[in-house]
Amino acid sequence: MKSLNFSRWFPSGRTTVIGVPFLFLFVFFLLPFLLVVGISFSQQQLGIPPYTPLTKIEDDVFTLVLNIGHYKFMLGDDLYFATYISSVQMAFVSTVLCLLIGYPMAYYIARASESARDTLMMMVMLPFWTSYLIRVYAWIGILKNDGFLNQFLMWLGVIDTPLRLYHTNWGVYIGMVFSYLPFMIMPLYAHLVKMDLRLLEAAYDLGARPWKAFVQVTLPLSKNGIIAGSLLVFIPAVGEYVIPELLGGSDTLMIGRVMWDEFFNNMDWPMAATVTCAMVLLLLVPMALFQHYQAKVMEEVK
Amino acid sequence: MSTMKPSKPLSFAVLGFGYAFLYLPIVLLVIYSFNESKLVTVWSGFSTKWYWALLEDDELINAALLSIKIALMTATAAVVIGTWAGFVMARLNRFRLFPLFAGMINAPLVIPEVIQGISLLLLFVAMEQAFGWPEGRGVFTIWIGHVMLCVSYVAIVVQSRVRELNRSLEEAAMDLGARPLKVFFVITLPLISQALVSGWLLSFTLSLDDLVLTAFLSGPGSTTLPMVIFSRVRLGLNPEMNALATLFIIVVSVGVVAGNLYMRSVQRKRDREMQLAFNQA
């Protein structure tokens, strides 16, 4: 009987199986966020760590000091505001461009013969497996003033003076679309390939023109794919650092870059934490949407 | 029926443009890695000298070795934790905190890496203050960060594979008296091995390639390959980097294509055998 009582002190097998990965994710994913929020309310100082503690106990008095200076500064500063707007705008334009290129591609891959589909999808995924940094780097040689694109266009005689693309927002758009295109195509393809083609047949039989059938049948059926793909592109694009740093100009304002500079160049950890909190706030709604659609996809599989 | 088929020329045009966009930059990169001139965009003759230069670049070689070591550690740990988490997602998803659990699995897929970088760094700094561990930043902190980056991918691949499993095999083992843990290792794990292999490979490449998270979590003496590449290419074009990129692309392409073909054949074989087994039963 004693051993029975004893076993109560140990969690059941089921709890352990759930608890271990749960704890891991909690400690290394959620807890760090709470720390970021905390440190955004502290003050920069020289030393290790380079920020002041929020709480102290002195003469039996517990004091909590919350410095809202960083938030006030951020709200009052035009440059920060411009950066937020610009990040969202650049991510949005990149997402739309990805959709405009990715949708037709996903559509025709899904309608290709069954044997061709796997190979075509593998070719979409292949660049994703090669280094992201190298793929962004590859565009420098193309976009530079004396790069391949300008050489080619001038040889064609389309332009006489080179287009300025490298170190401009155009460079960032091209780099983003190039890097994130596979993320757009994957969910779109997954939705388009399992579509019941008899629905289209029915639409045609009832006299719909191809364009109308597409707008009224195919497009609504791939709605979830469009949303999932757009979120997979938009959310990481808002905080992108590498692409604006390598292909953008010094006037390309992106929040990920500002946060990086605060952290590595100014060594202002609390300010970097504040910028991070603002970024999370900005992404809260798209993230919740993403979570909602992921849950839906899982339900469908079941 | 003829109107059902998408128009051939349009299909070729769209896919041709799309794949050209995806591959042309890579092709140009590879071609110009054999260029003799230091000016990457001006062709002056065939040469393999940039490949020889790579061999003498100690900074690059050391960084590459460190990156491979971290990637091996990351892929292995991510597969263990990711499989565990993915299995919970697929089979034990009826507990109260499940939405939080699912959120913590899905969010890292999209969350900008700068956010994850700074938050993990602050965690490690706070831990060092509180417990004196981990001392400073280095391979260990990078490893944890990379595992966090990869766990979600593995978990999602595994959970979708587990969901489509035919449960009758596991139930049969259970009926024959195998304990749940044994069923998992002897029946479930071999059935999802394909997902584990792709999860491992994906984690390996993600880790090998990561720059942003690594920059936050590395310390003196733990400079990885992407950090060296980044510090050089932000100054502009560099023919040595073209050569390195070419090597990287060749290895990855051969690996992915071979892996894909192998997995397809394994899958076909398994489907056939399963079909046969069920037909006989």
Side-chain angles (χ1 to χ4, degrees), chain B residues 36-52:
Chain B
E36 206 193 340
S37 162
K38 204 172 166 51
L39 295 166
V40 174
T41 51
V42 184
W43 183 263
S44 65
F46 181 86
S47 153
T48 52
K49 69 175 179 187
W50 304 114
Y51 289 88
W52 295 108

Side-chain angles (χ1 to χ4, degrees), chain A residues 208-284:
Chain A
R209 310 280 310 155
W211 181 245
K212 195 167 183 200
F214 173 76
V215 172
Q216 296 202 329
V217 179
T218 311
L219 210 54
L221 282 174
S222 55
K223 191 188 90 193
N224 284 353
I226 295 175
I227 294 173
S230 301
L231 291 171
L232 275 172
V233 175
F234 180 80
I235 302 172
V238 168
E240 183 58 52
Y241 167 74
V242 174
I243 297 170
E245 184 67 20
L246 288 183
L247 300 176
S250 50
D251 57 341
T252 303
L253 294 174
M254 297 244 2
I255 186 168
R257 219 174 163 190
V258 168
M259 184 270 193
W260 182 286
D261 287 342
E262 288 290 355
F263 187 88
F264 287 103
N265 302 344
N266 303 344
M267 294 293 283
D268 192 343
W269 291 21
M271 192 67 219
T274 311
V275 176
T276 307
C277 286
M279 206 186 319
V280 173
L281 272 179
L282 204 65
L283 292 177
L284 223 47

Side-chain angles (χ1 to χ4, degrees), chain B residues 10-221:
Chain B
L10 197 61
S11 157
F12 277 121
V14 164
L15 293 179
F17 170 78
Y19 287 107
F21 178 64
L22 284 175
Y23 283 91
L24 216 54
I26 297 173
V27 171
L28 283 171
L29 191 87
V30 171
I31 293 174
Y32 277 81
S33 73
F34 295 104
N35 185 10
E36 206 193 340
S37 162
K38 204 172 166 51
L39 295 166
V40 174
T41 51
V42 184
W43 183 263
S44 65
F46 181 86
S47 153
T48 52
K49 69 175 179 187
W50 304 114
Y51 289 88
W52 295 108
L54 281 182
L55 285 178
E56 279 158 28
D57 195 330
D58 287 335
E59 187 195 19
L60 213 61
I61 290 171
N62 288 334
L65 290 176
L66 181 71
S67 280
I68 291 172
K69 182 178 144 194
I70 293 176
L72 287 172
M73 286 161 58
T74 300
T76 309
V79 164
V80 174
I81 301 168
T83 305
W84 196 330
F87 189 78
V88 171
M89 292 269 280
R91 288 283 169 80
L92 300 165
N93 49 19
R94 293 269 170 267
F95 58 100
R96 215 180 314 141
L97 289 173
F98 182 73
L100 178 63
F101 186 77
M104 291 194 296
I105 293 281
N106 287 327
L109 290 179
V110 287
I111 207 153
E113 265 184 74
V114 283
I115 298 182
Q116 254 192 314
I118 190 172
S119 29
L120 270 172
L121 171 73
L122 293 177
L123 174 79
F124 288 129
V125 169
M127 273 166 68
E128 192 181 358
Q129 273 189 291
F131 320 115
W133 180 87
E135 266 178 83
R137 282 163 264 148
V139 174
F140 175 78
T141 49
I142 298 176
W143 181 41
I144 297 284
H146 285 191
V147 171
M148 276 314 297
L149 196 70
C150 304
V151 156
S152 303
Y153 284 95
V154 179
I156 284 171
V157 172
V158 167
Q159 71 104 13
S160 68
R161 183 77 188 96
V162 170
R163 270 172 206 271
E164 61 189 41
L165 276 187
N166 190 329
R167 290 195 77 157
S168 53
L169 283 171
E170 288 161 288
E171 276 157 13
M174 219 78 107
D175 288 345
L176 293 172
R179 302 183 53 101
L181 209 59
K182 185 161 187 193
V183 174
F184 178 75
F185 280 104
V186 177
I187 309 289
T188 317
L189 218 49
L191 283 176
I192 60 170
S193 57
Q194 208 186 337
L196 302 192
V197 173
S198 31
W200 194 93
L201 289 173
L202 189 59
S203 305
F204 185 84
T205 46
L206 280 174
S207 164
L208 201 60
D209 192 29
D210 179 73
L211 168 75
V212 174
L213 210 53
T214 317
F216 281 96
L217 300 175
S218 78

